[in-house]
Amino acid sequence: MKLIAIVLVLAVPARAATSTFQALGKGFKAPVVVAQGFDAQVIFSNLTAPRGIAFDANQNLLVVERGFGITAFTRVSSPSAGWRRTVVIENPKLTQGIQVDGRNLYVSSGDSILVYEYDIATTSVDATHPPYTFVGGLPANGPVNTHTLQLETDLTGRTVAVLVAVGPSVNIDPLARDPNSGRSTIRRFPIPLREAPLYDPVPFDFSEGQVLAYGLRNPTGFTFHSGWNTFTAGTKNLFVVDNGPELDNVPGLDAAFLSENPADELQQIQYTVGPDSEIPSPQFYGFPDCFTIWNPAADELGVRQYLGTKKGAQFSAQLTPERDDAWCRNKKNNVAPVLPFQAHTSPLDIKFFTPSLFNSNSSFPATYGGDAFVSFHGSLGQPLPSGYGVVRVPFIHGLTPPNVDYSFVIQAMNLTTCPGDCIRPVGLAFGEDGKLYVSSDNSGELFVLQRKIAT
Ligand SMILES: *[C@@H]1O[C@H](CO)[C@@H](O)[C@H](O)[C@H]1NC(C)=O
Ligand SMILES: *[C@@H]1O[C@H](CO)[C@@H](O)[C@H](O)[C@H]1NC(C)=O
Ligand SMILES: *[C@@H]1O[C@H](CO)[C@@H](O)[C@H](O)[C@H]1NC(C)=O
């Protein structure tokens, strides 16, 4: 017993030593344009593909460095102002998902959801406990295996479920028509009432998850809208960003049309949780049959059949005769997005801004309260690169006004050089300070957007 204690004491300094510091004032790898009245500062450079990010209750920013593990970033003011990076977990299998609830740190790999016991005071995990597998057997194949996570809380704030995203098995995946296929879907895993930290010898199998929605091609990011909503207390109002496919083999469409279609999407899922954690039957969100028009006139001469439709209209990929344009436009068959995003911009995360008690003159303005912010990873292989930034989507009373325009708060300055060293935003998180923190995987950067202080 005594021997073990000595070993543990010796292990602590080794962990603490894996900290590095970066002073404020380092530049971006490639130039950015920031919206008027805002300012962007690099927090840390040269990271290993930073993806999902989340704040713990002490305002340490936890980051999935994909291919490395989890790191924590803590603001330091002396001897010089900057950020300290501490290694929390070395696990190269972790891909993107990260959520923290007290001592429970939820992370995702290609095939499982793991829970580490997290010590907020030292930003470290308990080295004596291996992580607990909360869900095993996730499908790890297909073009994406990032498995975004979102915790669901009840009206008292207690975490009651974990939502898990799964993408398609191939670009156009017929399996996604079946809610039980486990592809292009969000599944919900209720957490049994038990003591924290959460250690349970029996993991869920992925097949046991409740289907929240299906036909969402690649639900890369999702979050609940809590404030400013007009919905009944207890109704969950989840907003999801979804990445469209390449429709290269669909008859009647050509490269010029497909360079601006189909749109990427903002989807809304509303549900109410019953007393035994039961949820309503899931709805179908269109994939692989129904898609969204971004620009109906992208090829006015070559593809004329959508000229009479508007941005946001549903159209069919004509994979089966029954699921034609009329079928796709019938709300009973297919839930259309609440907002289309420009084709190929690859939205990866969404967060709502809520002004907090700690707001200062560099926080986002209170008039942005309730608005959504979405990261655009950016297009690849398109003649004109698009995305490579973060946009603000105005919301009014928990809804996007019809045909609302979104606008960039930050974007790579010269899109023709992208991807190159351009920012490729992935994870978003608002701090208690009312500033927006962003990870950028390709450029290996973590940065913060804040209001510019007038001088
Ligand atoms: C990142 O790494 C590059 C190449 O090693 C180096 O030139 C640069 O100074 C580093 N940036 C920072 C902020 O440490
Ligand atoms: C912003 O807030 C800080 C801290 O509260 C204060 O010192 C500073 O004068 C303010 N600046 C402006 C331009 O209001
Ligand atoms: C953008 O980058 C391209 C390719 O490097 C270059 O030719 C062009 O001059 C740049 N445009 C601006 C405005 O800097």
PDB file of all heavy atoms in Angstrom, residues 44-69:
ATOM      1  N   PHE A  44      -2.583  30.070 -28.952  1.00  0.00           N
ATOM      2  CA  PHE A  44      -1.509  29.073 -29.015  1.00  0.00           C
ATOM      3  C   PHE A  44      -1.323  28.648 -30.458  1.00  0.00           C
ATOM      4  O   PHE A  44      -2.290  28.600 -31.227  1.00  0.00           O
ATOM      5  CB  PHE A  44      -1.847  27.846 -28.148  1.00  0.00           C
ATOM      6  CG  PHE A  44      -0.753  27.507 -27.173  1.00  0.00           C
ATOM      7  CD1 PHE A  44      -0.770  28.025 -25.898  1.00  0.00           C
ATOM      8  CD2 PHE A  44       0.315  26.685 -27.556  1.00  0.00           C
ATOM      9  CE1 PHE A  44       0.249  27.731 -24.992  1.00  0.00           C
ATOM     10  CE2 PHE A  44       1.334  26.389 -26.659  1.00  0.00           C
ATOM     11  CZ  PHE A  44       1.310  26.922 -25.373  1.00  0.00           C
ATOM     12  N   SER A  45      -0.054  28.349 -30.811  1.00  0.00           N
ATOM     13  CA  SER A  45       0.293  27.952 -32.178  1.00  0.00           C
ATOM     14  C   SER A  45       0.914  26.562 -32.152  1.00  0.00           C
ATOM     15  O   SER A  45       1.279  26.051 -31.093  1.00  0.00           O
ATOM     16  CB  SER A  45       1.316  28.923 -32.770  1.00  0.00           C
ATOM     17  OG  SER A  45       0.997  30.247 -32.439  1.00  0.00           O
ATOM     18  N   ASN A  46       1.054  25.990 -33.315  1.00  0.00           N
ATOM     19  CA  ASN A  46       1.785  24.723 -33.490  1.00  0.00           C
ATOM     20  C   ASN A  46       1.183  23.565 -32.706  1.00  0.00           C
ATOM     21  O   ASN A  46       1.896  22.701 -32.226  1.00  0.00           O
ATOM     22  CB  ASN A  46       3.273  24.891 -33.101  1.00  0.00           C
ATOM     23  CG  ASN A  46       4.021  25.743 -34.110  1.00  0.00           C
ATOM     24  OD1 ASN A  46       3.558  25.917 -35.234  1.00  0.00           O
ATOM     25  ND2 ASN A  46       5.167  26.257 -33.728  1.00  0.00           N
ATOM     26  N   LEU A  47      -0.135  23.535 -32.588  1.00  0.00           N
ATOM     27  CA  LEU A  47      -0.803  22.418 -31.915  1.00  0.00           C
ATOM     28  C   LEU A  47      -1.018  21.286 -32.915  1.00  0.00           C
ATOM     29  O   LEU A  47      -0.922  21.488 -34.131  1.00  0.00           O
ATOM     30  CB  LEU A  47      -2.139  22.886 -31.329  1.00  0.00           C
ATOM     31  CG  LEU A  47      -2.031  24.043 -30.329  1.00  0.00           C
ATOM     32  CD1 LEU A  47      -3.414  24.547 -29.931  1.00  0.00           C
ATOM     33  CD2 LEU A  47      -1.248  23.600 -29.093  1.00  0.00           C
ATOM     34  N   THR A  48      -1.354  20.092 -32.390  1.00  0.00           N
ATOM     35  CA  THR A  48      -1.601  18.932 -33.242  1.00  0.00           C
ATOM     36  C   THR A  48      -3.081  18.870 -33.599  1.00  0.00           C
ATOM     37  O   THR A  48      -3.888  18.401 -32.806  1.00  0.00           O
ATOM     38  CB  THR A  48      -1.191  17.629 -32.504  1.00  0.00           C
ATOM     39  OG1 THR A  48       0.155  17.780 -32.056  1.00  0.00           O
ATOM     40  CG2 THR A  48      -1.277  16.419 -33.422  1.00  0.00           C
ATOM     41  N   ALA A  49      -3.458  19.395 -34.756  1.00  0.00           N
ATOM     42  CA  ALA A  49      -4.829  19.312 -35.267  1.00  0.00           C
ATOM     43  C   ALA A  49      -5.897  19.533 -34.188  1.00  0.00           C
ATOM     44  O   ALA A  49      -6.691  18.636 -33.891  1.00  0.00           O
ATOM     45  CB  ALA A  49      -5.062  17.969 -35.956  1.00  0.00           C
ATOM     46  N   PRO A  50      -5.954  20.738 -33.585  1.00  0.00           N
ATOM     47  CA  PRO A  50      -6.984  20.972 -32.564  1.00  0.00           C
ATOM     48  C   PRO A  50      -8.403  20.898 -33.152  1.00  0.00           C
ATOM     49  O   PRO A  50      -8.686  21.553 -34.149  1.00  0.00           O
ATOM     50  CB  PRO A  50      -6.662  22.367 -32.029  1.00  0.00           C
ATOM     51  CG  PRO A  50      -5.841  23.023 -33.089  1.00  0.00           C
ATOM     52  CD  PRO A  50      -5.112  21.918 -33.803  1.00  0.00           C
ATOM     53  N   ARG A  51      -9.282  20.100 -32.521  1.00  0.00           N
ATOM     54  CA  ARG A  51     -10.652  19.864 -33.034  1.00  0.00           C
ATOM     55  C   ARG A  51     -11.674  20.342 -32.000  1.00  0.00           C
ATOM     56  O   ARG A  51     -11.863  21.520 -31.833  1.00  0.00           O
ATOM     57  CB  ARG A  51     -10.816  18.368 -33.364  1.00  0.00           C
ATOM     58  CG  ARG A  51      -9.847  17.874 -34.451  1.00  0.00           C
ATOM     59  CD  ARG A  51     -10.284  18.208 -35.862  1.00  0.00           C
ATOM     60  NE  ARG A  51     -11.547  17.612 -36.223  1.00  0.00           N
ATOM     61  CZ  ARG A  51     -12.093  17.714 -37.434  1.00  0.00           C
ATOM     62  NH1 ARG A  51     -11.469  18.365 -38.414  1.00  0.00           N
ATOM     63  NH2 ARG A  51     -13.265  17.173 -37.698  1.00  0.00           N
ATOM     64  N   GLY A  52     -12.343  19.415 -31.288  1.00  0.00           N
ATOM     65  CA  GLY A  52     -13.382  19.821 -30.341  1.00  0.00           C
ATOM     66  C   GLY A  52     -12.793  20.565 -29.152  1.00  0.00           C
ATOM     67  O   GLY A  52     -11.686  20.253 -28.707  1.00  0.00           O
ATOM     68  N   ILE A  53     -13.534  21.587 -28.636  1.00  0.00           N
ATOM     69  CA  ILE A  53     -13.078  22.340 -27.469  1.00  0.00           C
ATOM     70  C   ILE A  53     -14.241  22.524 -26.493  1.00  0.00           C
ATOM     71  O   ILE A  53     -15.399  22.547 -26.897  1.00  0.00           O
ATOM     72  CB  ILE A  53     -12.475  23.712 -27.844  1.00  0.00           C
ATOM     73  CG1 ILE A  53     -13.515  24.676 -28.443  1.00  0.00           C
ATOM     74  CG2 ILE A  53     -11.319  23.539 -28.845  1.00  0.00           C
ATOM     75  CD1 ILE A  53     -12.957  26.068 -28.756  1.00  0.00           C
ATOM     76  N   ALA A  54     -13.923  22.628 -25.196  1.00  0.00           N
ATOM     77  CA  ALA A  54     -14.964  22.841 -24.176  1.00  0.00           C
ATOM     78  C   ALA A  54     -14.317  23.448 -22.938  1.00  0.00           C
ATOM     79  O   ALA A  54     -13.196  23.071 -22.576  1.00  0.00           O
ATOM     80  CB  ALA A  54     -15.632  21.517 -23.807  1.00  0.00           C
ATOM     81  N   PHE A  55     -15.013  24.368 -22.284  1.00  0.00           N
ATOM     82  CA  PHE A  55     -14.520  24.937 -21.029  1.00  0.00           C
ATOM     83  C   PHE A  55     -14.913  24.044 -19.858  1.00  0.00           C
ATOM     84  O   PHE A  55     -16.036  23.527 -19.825  1.00  0.00           O
ATOM     85  CB  PHE A  55     -15.114  26.326 -20.800  1.00  0.00           C
ATOM     86  CG  PHE A  55     -14.383  27.413 -21.526  1.00  0.00           C
ATOM     87  CD1 PHE A  55     -14.879  27.931 -22.706  1.00  0.00           C
ATOM     88  CD2 PHE A  55     -13.184  27.910 -21.029  1.00  0.00           C
ATOM     89  CE1 PHE A  55     -14.193  28.941 -23.383  1.00  0.00           C
ATOM     90  CE2 PHE A  55     -12.493  28.912 -21.695  1.00  0.00           C
ATOM     91  CZ  PHE A  55     -12.996  29.428 -22.884  1.00  0.00           C
ATOM     92  N   ASP A  56     -13.999  23.915 -18.878  1.00  0.00           N
ATOM     93  CA  ASP A  56     -14.413  23.309 -17.608  1.00  0.00           C
ATOM     94  C   ASP A  56     -14.948  24.433 -16.705  1.00  0.00           C
ATOM     95  O   ASP A  56     -14.935  25.611 -17.087  1.00  0.00           O
ATOM     96  CB  ASP A  56     -13.273  22.489 -16.981  1.00  0.00           C
ATOM     97  CG  ASP A  56     -12.129  23.345 -16.427  1.00  0.00           C
ATOM     98  OD1 ASP A  56     -12.314  24.567 -16.223  1.00  0.00           O
ATOM     99  OD2 ASP A  56     -11.041  22.774 -16.185  1.00  0.00           O
ATOM    100  N   ALA A  57     -15.410  24.075 -15.495  1.00  0.00           N
ATOM    101  CA  ALA A  57     -16.074  25.055 -14.629  1.00  0.00           C
ATOM    102  C   ALA A  57     -15.105  26.114 -14.105  1.00  0.00           C
ATOM    103  O   ALA A  57     -15.537  27.145 -13.586  1.00  0.00           O
ATOM    104  CB  ALA A  57     -16.768  24.341 -13.471  1.00  0.00           C
ATOM    105  N   ASN A  58     -13.795  25.875 -14.201  1.00  0.00           N
ATOM    106  CA  ASN A  58     -12.802  26.888 -13.807  1.00  0.00           C
ATOM    107  C   ASN A  58     -12.306  27.705 -14.990  1.00  0.00           C
ATOM    108  O   ASN A  58     -11.292  28.398 -14.878  1.00  0.00           O
ATOM    109  CB  ASN A  58     -11.589  26.227 -13.132  1.00  0.00           C
ATOM    110  CG  ASN A  58     -11.878  25.837 -11.700  1.00  0.00           C
ATOM    111  OD1 ASN A  58     -12.946  26.134 -11.176  1.00  0.00           O
ATOM    112  ND2 ASN A  58     -10.929  25.165 -11.076  1.00  0.00           N
ATOM    113  N   GLN A  59     -12.985  27.570 -16.139  1.00  0.00           N
ATOM    114  CA  GLN A  59     -12.612  28.319 -17.340  1.00  0.00           C
ATOM    115  C   GLN A  59     -11.238  27.939 -17.883  1.00  0.00           C
ATOM    116  O   GLN A  59     -10.526  28.754 -18.472  1.00  0.00           O
ATOM    117  CB  GLN A  59     -12.718  29.839 -17.111  1.00  0.00           C
ATOM    118  CG  GLN A  59     -14.171  30.288 -16.903  1.00  0.00           C
ATOM    119  CD  GLN A  59     -15.026  30.147 -18.169  1.00  0.00           C
ATOM    120  OE1 GLN A  59     -14.794  30.822 -19.163  1.00  0.00           O
ATOM    121  NE2 GLN A  59     -16.003  29.245 -18.126  1.00  0.00           N
ATOM    122  N   ASN A  60     -10.842  26.669 -17.669  1.00  0.00           N
ATOM    123  CA  ASN A  60      -9.731  26.115 -18.443  1.00  0.00           C
ATOM    124  C   ASN A  60     -10.344  25.624 -19.743  1.00  0.00           C
ATOM    125  O   ASN A  60     -11.408  25.000 -19.731  1.00  0.00           O
ATOM    126  CB  ASN A  60      -9.092  24.915 -17.735  1.00  0.00           C
ATOM    127  CG  ASN A  60      -8.552  25.280 -16.376  1.00  0.00           C
ATOM    128  OD1 ASN A  60      -7.653  26.104 -16.274  1.00  0.00           O
ATOM    129  ND2 ASN A  60      -9.118  24.686 -15.331  1.00  0.00           N
ATOM    130  N   LEU A  61      -9.681  25.893 -20.853  1.00  0.00           N
ATOM    131  CA  LEU A  61     -10.202  25.461 -22.151  1.00  0.00           C
ATOM    132  C   LEU A  61      -9.576  24.106 -22.492  1.00  0.00           C
ATOM    133  O   LEU A  61      -8.356  23.991 -22.635  1.00  0.00           O
ATOM    134  CB  LEU A  61      -9.858  26.500 -23.220  1.00  0.00           C
ATOM    135  CG  LEU A  61     -10.452  26.247 -24.605  1.00  0.00           C
ATOM    136  CD1 LEU A  61     -11.971  26.148 -24.559  1.00  0.00           C
ATOM    137  CD2 LEU A  61     -10.039  27.365 -25.576  1.00  0.00           C
ATOM    138  N   LEU A  62     -10.434  23.074 -22.586  1.00  0.00           N
ATOM    139  CA  LEU A  62      -9.955  21.721 -22.901  1.00  0.00           C
ATOM    140  C   LEU A  62     -10.076  21.509 -24.403  1.00  0.00           C
ATOM    141  O   LEU A  62     -11.097  21.842 -25.005  1.00  0.00           O
ATOM    142  CB  LEU A  62     -10.785  20.678 -22.145  1.00  0.00           C
ATOM    143  CG  LEU A  62     -10.766  20.826 -20.614  1.00  0.00           C
ATOM    144  CD1 LEU A  62     -11.664  19.775 -19.967  1.00  0.00           C
ATOM    145  CD2 LEU A  62      -9.342  20.703 -20.094  1.00  0.00           C
ATOM    146  N   VAL A  63      -9.029  20.941 -24.992  1.00  0.00           N
ATOM    147  CA  VAL A  63      -8.944  20.839 -26.445  1.00  0.00           C
ATOM    148  C   VAL A  63      -8.562  19.414 -26.846  1.00  0.00           C
ATOM    149  O   VAL A  63      -7.643  18.835 -26.269  1.00  0.00           O
ATOM    150  CB  VAL A  63      -7.880  21.829 -26.983  1.00  0.00           C
ATOM    151  CG1 VAL A  63      -7.690  21.679 -28.482  1.00  0.00           C
ATOM    152  CG2 VAL A  63      -8.266  23.266 -26.632  1.00  0.00           C
ATOM    153  N   VAL A  64      -9.288  18.867 -27.826  1.00  0.00           N
ATOM    154  CA  VAL A  64      -8.877  17.589 -28.420  1.00  0.00           C
ATOM    155  C   VAL A  64      -7.837  17.911 -29.483  1.00  0.00           C
ATOM    156  O   VAL A  64      -8.161  18.541 -30.489  1.00  0.00           O
ATOM    157  CB  VAL A  64     -10.062  16.857 -29.091  1.00  0.00           C
ATOM    158  CG1 VAL A  64      -9.586  15.535 -29.705  1.00  0.00           C
ATOM    159  CG2 VAL A  64     -11.191  16.622 -28.104  1.00  0.00           C
ATOM    160  N   GLU A  65      -6.596  17.527 -29.234  1.00  0.00           N
ATOM    161  CA  GLU A  65      -5.578  17.634 -30.284  1.00  0.00           C
ATOM    162  C   GLU A  65      -5.549  16.261 -30.949  1.00  0.00           C
ATOM    163  O   GLU A  65      -5.011  15.303 -30.405  1.00  0.00           O
ATOM    164  CB  GLU A  65      -4.225  18.036 -29.704  1.00  0.00           C
ATOM    165  CG  GLU A  65      -4.234  19.453 -29.143  1.00  0.00           C
ATOM    166  CD  GLU A  65      -2.839  20.000 -28.849  1.00  0.00           C
ATOM    167  OE1 GLU A  65      -1.935  19.807 -29.677  1.00  0.00           O
ATOM    168  OE2 GLU A  65      -2.664  20.595 -27.775  1.00  0.00           O
ATOM    169  N   ARG A  66      -6.196  16.213 -32.105  1.00  0.00           N
ATOM    170  CA  ARG A  66      -6.429  14.927 -32.762  1.00  0.00           C
ATOM    171  C   ARG A  66      -5.103  14.284 -33.184  1.00  0.00           C
ATOM    172  O   ARG A  66      -4.291  14.913 -33.846  1.00  0.00           O
ATOM    173  CB  ARG A  66      -7.300  15.148 -33.992  1.00  0.00           C
ATOM    174  CG  ARG A  66      -7.789  13.877 -34.625  1.00  0.00           C
ATOM    175  CD  ARG A  66      -8.759  14.223 -35.734  1.00  0.00           C
ATOM    176  NE  ARG A  66      -9.272  13.023 -36.352  1.00  0.00           N
ATOM    177  CZ  ARG A  66     -10.148  13.038 -37.336  1.00  0.00           C
ATOM    178  NH1 ARG A  66     -10.610  14.190 -37.793  1.00  0.00           N
ATOM    179  NH2 ARG A  66     -10.576  11.915 -37.858  1.00  0.00           N
ATOM    180  N   GLY A  67      -4.918  13.043 -32.743  1.00  0.00           N
ATOM    181  CA  GLY A  67      -3.652  12.360 -33.012  1.00  0.00           C
ATOM    182  C   GLY A  67      -2.689  12.490 -31.849  1.00  0.00           C
ATOM    183  O   GLY A  67      -1.639  11.861 -31.824  1.00  0.00           O
ATOM    184  N   PHE A  68      -3.062  13.303 -30.849  1.00  0.00           N
ATOM    185  CA  PHE A  68      -2.209  13.460 -29.660  1.00  0.00           C
ATOM    186  C   PHE A  68      -2.968  13.128 -28.377  1.00  0.00           C
ATOM    187  O   PHE A  68      -2.594  12.240 -27.625  1.00  0.00           O
ATOM    188  CB  PHE A  68      -1.618  14.878 -29.593  1.00  0.00           C
ATOM    189  CG  PHE A  68      -0.836  15.123 -28.337  1.00  0.00           C
ATOM    190  CD1 PHE A  68       0.436  14.584 -28.192  1.00  0.00           C
ATOM    191  CD2 PHE A  68      -1.391  15.840 -27.281  1.00  0.00           C
ATOM    192  CE1 PHE A  68       1.149  14.749 -27.000  1.00  0.00           C
ATOM    193  CE2 PHE A  68      -0.685  16.014 -26.097  1.00  0.00           C
ATOM    194  CZ  PHE A  68       0.590  15.477 -25.962  1.00  0.00           C
ATOM    195  N   GLY A  69      -4.054  13.861 -28.112  1.00  0.00           N
ATOM    196  CA  GLY A  69      -4.800  13.632 -26.865  1.00  0.00           C
ATOM    197  C   GLY A  69      -5.556  14.875 -26.459  1.00  0.00           C
ATOM    198  O   GLY A  69      -6.036  15.624 -27.305  1.00  0.00           O
TER     199      GLY A  69
END
